Amino acid sequence: MEHFLKKAKASASELLRIDGAKKKSVLLQIADDIEKNSNKILAANEKDMALAREMNLSSALIDRLFLDEKRVRSMAESVREIAMLKDPVGRVLDGWVLDNGLRIEKVSIPIGVIGIIYESRPNVTSDAAALCFKSGNVSILKGGKEAKNSNEAIAETIQAVLEKNDLPKELVSLLPDYSREGVEKLIKMDKYVDLIIPRGGEGLIRYVSENATVPVVKHDKGLCHTYIDKDADFDKAVAIAVNAKVQRPGVCNAMETLLVDYAIKDEILLKLYEAFKPHMTTLKGCALTKEVLPDIETASEEDFHTEYLENILSIKVVDGVEEAIEHIRKYGSGHSEAIVTENYTTAEKFMNEVDAACVYVNASTRFTDGGVFGFGAEVGISTNKLHARGPMGINDLTTYKYKIYGEGQIRQ
Amino acid sequence: MEHFLKKAKASASELLRIDGAKKKSVLLQIADDIEKNSNKILAANEKDMALAREMNLSSALIDRLFLDEKRVRSMAESVREIAMLKDPVGRVLDGWVLDNGLRIEKVSIPIGVIGIIYESRPNVTSDAAALCFKSGNVSILKGGKEAKNSNEAIAETIQAVLEKNDLPKELVSLLPDYSREGVEKLIKMDKYVDLIIPRGGEGLIRYVSENATVPVVKHDKGLCHTYIDKDADFDKAVAIAVNAKVQRPGVCNAMETLLVDYAIKDEILLKLYEAFKPHMTTLKGCALTKEVLPDIETASEEDFHTEYLENILSIKVVDGVEEAIEHIRKYGSGHSEAIVTENYTTAEKFMNEVDAACVYVNASTRFTDGGVFGFGAEVGISTNKLHARGPMGINDLTTYKYKIYGEGQIRQ
């Protein structure tokens, strides 16, 4: 493992020497070859699928694992999109001149070696490799064991293109060790690895965060709230609440808990009840909610801590924006939080005091997404507070250096 | 410990509610009270000094521990300077409007709770507290055991001002547990602590990095190089090399190894030898260097790995800029690296391919410093690649959130 990582680290300098045109051309070739090798990739995937069926893996997992012509084409398309992004390296982030004439430039550069730990979707292999390559980073990819054959076929395709272009194949590699010990070693190799991005279940992410000595950017839980204030426009409020819950309940930016201002509870709760009815949403309410909607389920303390990722909604009546902020502080995951209000001061208070990657006024939390934000390609949604927070674009796969230009200055 | 940190975390929201004028006024009062309480602080320091002498601590350590009227005044002065900095919170870092009319603002906000682990200098207590307070962060300070009384006297002064201003004293606290176990607990409390900044010896920093689950921004080793290229202006080269080594050898941005291009070794090494002579610098050379300067010491492999922090210099002859970059890749610490050359292409190559927080052309590495860079107050010099890299100003004690302003938008 150490030898493998050493080679990966050593290859990083190659990436500093190739220009944007070459990076683009290599990625377009990779996209083409993924399509050309479609049969090979699908054959490998068929092996994984057979094993998965044999092992009785869940149908959700099998669906994530499954590839067909169309999914392979969309993998290639996604690599093409990444190829066409603006080069994230070399952006001048800041610059100034000191009194002594030294000219300082703060410039974006690649991070170095990035380890990405993910689960069963094979398309993450090509996506992650392309994002890292475009941003000048070496990628060490650790996919799910159940997708081993698919990932190998995809990685071989990528490595063949690298070699055809006189680039070391170590720029994109699969971690050779698929075991838990493999991950354990990887996340402690801070000498060779500069960043770990775990994408997957809570258990994996907790394990990685607790044991890594390499810096980690997490993408985990989204327990998002929407607060309907007494000064809300009710039509907006209902539309936003329904959208935040039902438009795609299984994702991290979907709403899990709706907070309703006491002052308007009677009217708004009845409207919400009617609006959610056609969507078959399971509503669970606090005691005050149940006074208005007696036939819904009861929301327990545990419900307010739960990221359902399903068409279920907890509802709580709160005493104004202060209590809404308090509730979010206690139960929120710092992902996306929204207020619906027409009151300027209330909106500002919520926007300033809620600590989350994304805070919304009068809009659905479902907009928290790198693609929607215009970042072009989605690395994920970071729940870290440092380095990258919220929707993470390809620019977040860079760090910076200061370049200082002198004419012989020495320090007095 | 957990109870203590919980209270610290809870107090963080108070800081989001007070404006810049109040932060400034509280810091100016703290500065005044540090001066007013000078006698109390000096008496506490005298206790620490007595214990230090009793325990036969090194004279360097005792000097770092020592306070007098002048040092207390300069502590207060430094707090005043921090008070007058531009507020790092609320800067709009980016902003744009989506096609659907959603307006996105990326705004700087406090990180939350910052743990600072440092050694014997008592002035770090007031500096760190002031930097954190100004940037809206709660600070948990863990100074050296030997400075316990001094730190307590300073912290009490600060907390008294906080309480006089109706602010919770938990905004600035000393870690109650001075033992290694205290640090061990602190760095694992990611539920309550958002960032750890260790400042001190390599052992402490390694220990913290290896065991923390809280994100860490390190300030450690600086093994800085200067490379004199064949196209260098020799006068600039000699002046820069001497300055980088002797102007203050005990600091992390001082040069430890000088790399000299083979093509000019005979002429430049003799000039360097003459220039270093009046400064009594101990020169150690590789075999090729010793062919020109036979009476200097021999530099071993270990020398090239050593951060002397003393008036000692290793010299190595290299075969042009390629080998210089290779040497730096192998031995450098990613802190500050310089090239002296008049050749445009060589300079660009060095600036682009050397991976360090600061890369210089034709200037002394001694300029790597938050104060010199114009950041106003020095948090330290980060050797991390992520979050903050290189000289770290008060702006680096912030993270960001996205504020999204809508008029009822929902996701299609």
Side-chain angles (χ1 to χ4, degrees):
Chain A
M1 166 81 82
E2 189 161 353
H3 178 69
F4 162 79
L5 292 175
K6 211 170 185 168
K7 272 173 78 179
K9 178 92 180 173
S11 71
S13 59
E14 285 293 324
L15 276 171
L16 298 175
R17 287 180 205 165
I18 64 175
D19 59 22
K22 177 133 186 203
K23 288 197 287 192
K24 194 184 291 175
S25 142
V26 168
L27 286 172
L28 292 175
Q29 291 171 50
I30 288 173
D32 290 346
D33 280 15
I34 285 174
E35 285 181 337
K36 275 186 216 148
N37 287 352
S38 181
N39 284 341
K40 199 183 131 199
I41 294 169
L42 291 176
N45 184 251
E46 188 37 53
K47 275 194 222 166
D48 287 331
M49 291 290 289
L51 278 166
R53 281 189 217 101
E54 226 170 80
M55 294 170 71
N56 272 319
L57 299 186
S58 75
S59 63
L61 204 147
I62 287 185
D63 176 63
R64 286 201 288 273
L65 186 58
F66 175 67
L67 290 180
D68 56 14
E69 283 281 350
K70 197 179 145 211
R71 285 193 175 179
V72 171
R73 259 202 318 280
S74 115
M75 275 168 52
E77 212 35 68
S78 160
V79 172
R80 265 179 212 117
E81 272 168 31
I82 293 166
M84 303 314 290
L85 289 177
K86 204 176 154 218
D87 199 327
V89 172
R91 288 170 299 132
V92 178
L93 307 171
D94 203 351
W96 63 99
V97 181
L98 300 185
D99 283 348
N100 63 10
L102 278 182
R103 185 161 60 81
I104 302 182
E105 263 182 18
K106 184 177 181 181
V107 182
S108 69
I109 59 163
I111 290 172
V113 178
I114 302 183
I116 301 184
I117 304 172
Y118 51 103
E119 293 181 335
S120 38
R121 283 183 211 277
N123 67 308
V124 178
T125 306
S126 51
D127 265 8
L131 285 163
C132 287
F133 185 81
K134 179 78 184 187
S135 53
N137 294 292
V138 174
S139 49
I140 312 270
L141 308 169
K142 161 69 181 74
K145 215 172 8 197
E146 62 284 359
K148 189 167 185 286
N149 292 296
S150 316
N151 289 339
E152 279 171 5
I154 297 165
E156 275 162 26
T157 303
I158 295 172
Q159 293 190 328
V161 174
L162 293 174
E163 293 194 310
K164 209 162 59 189
N165 285 275
D166 294 320
L167 292 169
K169 68 179 192 325
E170 286 79 15
L171 295 180
V172 175
S173 357
L174 296 180
L175 192 75
D177 184 346
Y178 268 81
S179 67
R180 189 76 166 208
E181 291 73 50
V183 171
E184 195 180 324
K185 276 186 211 155
L186 177 69
I187 63 179
K188 289 188 185 294
M189 288 282 178
D190 44 303
K191 217 169 139 188
Y192 305 112
V193 183
D194 299 295
L195 177 65
I196 295 282
I197 304 181
R199 302 187 58 178
E202 254 189 281
L204 171 73
I205 287 166
R206 184 109 287 257
Y207 173 78
V208 169
S209 323
E210 277 175 3
N211 292 285
T213 59
V214 178
V216 175
V217 173
K218 287 177 285 191
H219 300 76
D220 51 355
K221 186 158 145 163
L223 205 164
C224 307
H225 300 78
T226 301
Y227 164 62
I228 304 180
D229 182 60
K230 68 172 187 301
D231 296 323
D233 172 314
F234 284 7
D235 291 339
K236 287 182 195 168
V238 171
I240 288 169
V242 170
N243 184 261
K245 181 69 251 179
V246 311
Q247 197 256 352
R248 198 169 165 203
V251 291
C252 59
N253 59 17
M255 168 177 62
E256 308 294 354
T257 302
L258 180 65
L259 303 171
V260 171
D261 196 340
Y262 184 88
I264 53 164
K265 69 176 165 53
D266 296 342
E267 191 181 347
I268 193 78
L269 283 172
L270 288 171
K271 279 182 193 282
L272 287 162
Y273 183 81
E274 290 306 316
F276 275 110
K277 202 187 281 176
H279 300 285
M280 321 270 281
T281 306
T282 304
L283 302 181
K284 297 184 168 195
C286 69
L288 285 168
T289 305
K290 290 197 65 171
E291 283 178 14
V292 187
L293 306 174
D295 56 337
I296 69 170
E297 292 181 30
T298 302
S300 66
E301 172 72 9
E302 206 198 318
D303 281 308
F304 294 119
H305 280 294
T306 303
E307 184 187 15
Y308 297 118
L309 296 170
E310 279 185 75
N311 194 9
I312 306 174
L313 178 69
S314 308
I315 305 176
K316 189 176 182 189
V317 173
V318 293
D319 190 13
V321 68
E322 284 281 357
E323 198 189 333
I325 294 170
E326 265 319 299
H327 181 95
I328 292 170
R329 185 167 294 135
K330 189 162 168 206
Y331 299 95
S333 63
H335 192 295
S336 302
E337 310 292 358
I339 181 172
V340 186
T341 189
E342 297 299 313
N343 183 303
Y344 172 85
T345 301
T346 309
E348 282 298 302
K349 184 177 177 65
F350 185 91
M351 298 296 268
N352 292 330
E353 294 187 17
V354 167
D355 183 18
C358 297
V359 283
Y360 291 84
V361 54
N362 296 342
S364 165
T365 55
R366 285 281 295 114
F367 288 109
T368 299
D369 177 289
V372 170
F373 271 34
F375 294 164
E378 168 94 330
V379 180
I381 296 170
S382 161
T383 49
N384 272 47
K385 277 188 126 174
L386 299 180
H387 180 61
R389 193 174 197 215
M392 204 176 155
I394 196 166
N395 286 348
D396 294 313
L397 294 181
T398 63
T399 175
Y400 57 82
K401 66 161 80 161
Y402 291 101
K403 293 181 171 181
I404 303 107
Y405 297 88
E407 297 101 35
Q409 282 88 341
I410 59 174
R411 186 145 175 196
Q412 303 304 328
Chain B
M1 166 82 84
E2 191 163 349
H3 178 70
F4 164 79
L5 292 175
K6 211 168 183 169
K7 271 173 80 179
K9 178 91 182 175
S11 71
S13 59
E14 284 293 323
L15 276 169
L16 298 174
R17 287 181 205 166
I18 64 175
D19 59 22
K22 176 132 189 207
K23 289 197 286 190
K24 194 184 290 176
S25 141
V26 168
L27 285 172
L28 292 174
Q29 292 172 51
I30 288 173
D32 290 348
D33 280 15
I34 285 175
E35 284 181 338
K36 274 187 218 147
N37 286 354
S38 181
N39 284 342
K40 197 183 132 200
I41 294 169
L42 290 176
N45 184 251
E46 188 38 55
K47 275 194 220 164
D48 287 330
M49 292 291 289
L51 278 167
R53 281 188 217 98
E54 227 170 78
M55 293 172 71
N56 272 318
L57 298 186
S58 75
S59 63
L61 203 147
I62 286 183
D63 176 61
R64 286 201 288 271
L65 186 59
F66 175 68
L67 291 179
D68 57 13
E69 283 279 353
K70 198 176 144 214
R71 285 191 175 182
V72 170
R73 258 203 317 280
S74 116
M75 274 167 52
E77 212 34 69
S78 161
V79 173
R80 265 178 213 117
E81 273 168 31
I82 292 165
M84 303 314 287
L85 288 177
K86 201 178 155 219
D87 199 324
V89 173
R91 288 170 298 131
V92 178
L93 306 171
D94 203 349
W96 63 98
V97 182
L98 299 185
D99 283 348
N100 63 10
L102 278 182
R103 188 162 58 82
I104 302 182
E105 265 184 16
K106 184 178 180 180
V107 182
S108 69
I109 58 163
I111 290 173
V113 177
I114 301 182
I116 301 184
I117 304 172
Y118 51 103
E119 294 180 334
S120 37
R121 285 182 209 278
N123 67 309
V124 178
T125 306
S126 51
D127 265 8
L131 283 163
C132 287
F133 185 80
K134 179 78 185 187
S135 52
N137 294 293
V138 174
S139 49
I140 311 273
L141 309 168
K142 161 69 182 72
K145 210 168 16 197
E146 62 283 0
K148 189 169 186 287
N149 293 295
S150 315
N151 289 338
E152 280 172 5
I154 297 164
E156 275 162 25
T157 304
I158 295 171
Q159 293 189 330
V161 174
L162 292 174
E163 292 192 310
K164 208 162 57 189
N165 286 274
D166 295 321
L167 291 169
K169 68 181 194 322
E170 286 79 15
L171 295 180
V172 175
S173 0
L174 297 180
L175 191 74
D177 184 347
Y178 267 82
S179 67
R180 188 74 164 210
E181 291 72 51
V183 171
E184 198 181 321
K185 274 187 214 154
L186 177 68
I187 64 179
K188 290 190 184 290
M189 288 281 179
D190 44 301
K191 217 168 139 187
Y192 306 112
V193 184
D194 298 294
L195 177 65
I196 294 283
I197 305 181
R199 303 186 57 175
E202 254 187 280
L204 170 72
I205 287 167
R206 185 116 281 263
Y207 173 78
V208 170
S209 321
E210 278 175 2
N211 293 285
T213 59
V214 179
V216 175
V217 173
K218 288 176 285 193
H219 300 76
D220 54 355
K221 185 157 146 167
L223 205 164
C224 306
H225 300 78
T226 302
Y227 164 62
I228 305 181
D229 181 60
K230 67 174 188 302
D231 295 323
D233 173 313
F234 283 9
D235 291 341
K236 286 181 195 168
V238 170
I240 287 168
V242 170
N243 183 262
K245 180 71 251 178
V246 310
Q247 197 255 351
R248 199 168 163 204
V251 291
C252 59
N253 60 17
M255 167 176 64
E256 307 294 352
T257 302
L258 180 66
L259 303 172
V260 171
D261 195 340
Y262 184 87
I264 52 162
K265 70 173 163 54
D266 296 343
E267 192 180 345
I268 193 78
L269 283 172
L270 288 172
K271 280 183 194 283
L272 286 162
Y273 184 80
E274 289 307 316
F276 274 109
K277 204 187 278 176
H279 300 285
M280 320 270 284
T281 306
T282 304
L283 302 180
K284 296 184 170 195
C286 69
L288 285 168
T289 305
K290 291 198 64 173
E291 282 178 16
V292 187
L293 308 174
D295 56 337
I296 68 170
E297 290 181 31
T298 301
S300 66
E301 171 72 10
E302 206 198 316
D303 281 308
F304 294 119
H305 280 294
T306 304
E307 184 185 16
Y308 296 119
L309 296 170
E310 279 186 74
N311 194 8
I312 306 174
L313 179 67
S314 308
I315 306 177
K316 188 173 184 196
V317 173
V318 293
D319 189 13
V321 68
E322 284 280 357
E323 198 188 333
I325 293 170
E326 265 318 301
H327 181 95
I328 292 170
R329 184 165 295 137
K330 189 164 169 201
Y331 299 94
S333 62
H335 193 293
S336 301
E337 311 292 357
I339 182 173
V340 186
T341 189
E342 298 298 314
N343 183 304
Y344 172 83
T345 301
T346 310
E348 282 298 301
K349 185 180 177 63
F350 185 91
M351 298 295 271
N352 292 328
E353 294 187 17
V354 166
D355 184 19
C358 297
V359 284
Y360 291 84
V361 54
N362 296 340
S364 166
T365 55
R366 286 281 295 113
F367 288 109
T368 300
D369 178 289
V372 169
F373 272 35
F375 294 163
E378 169 94 332
V379 180
I381 297 171
S382 161
T383 51
N384 272 44
K385 278 188 124 174
L386 299 182
H387 180 61
R389 195 175 194 210
M392 204 175 155
I394 196 165
N395 286 348
D396 294 314
L397 294 181
T398 63
T399 176
Y400 56 83
K401 67 160 82 157
Y402 290 102
K403 292 182 172 180
I404 302 106
Y405 297 87
E407 297 101 35
Q409 282 88 342
I410 59 173
R411 186 145 175 198
Q412 303 304 329

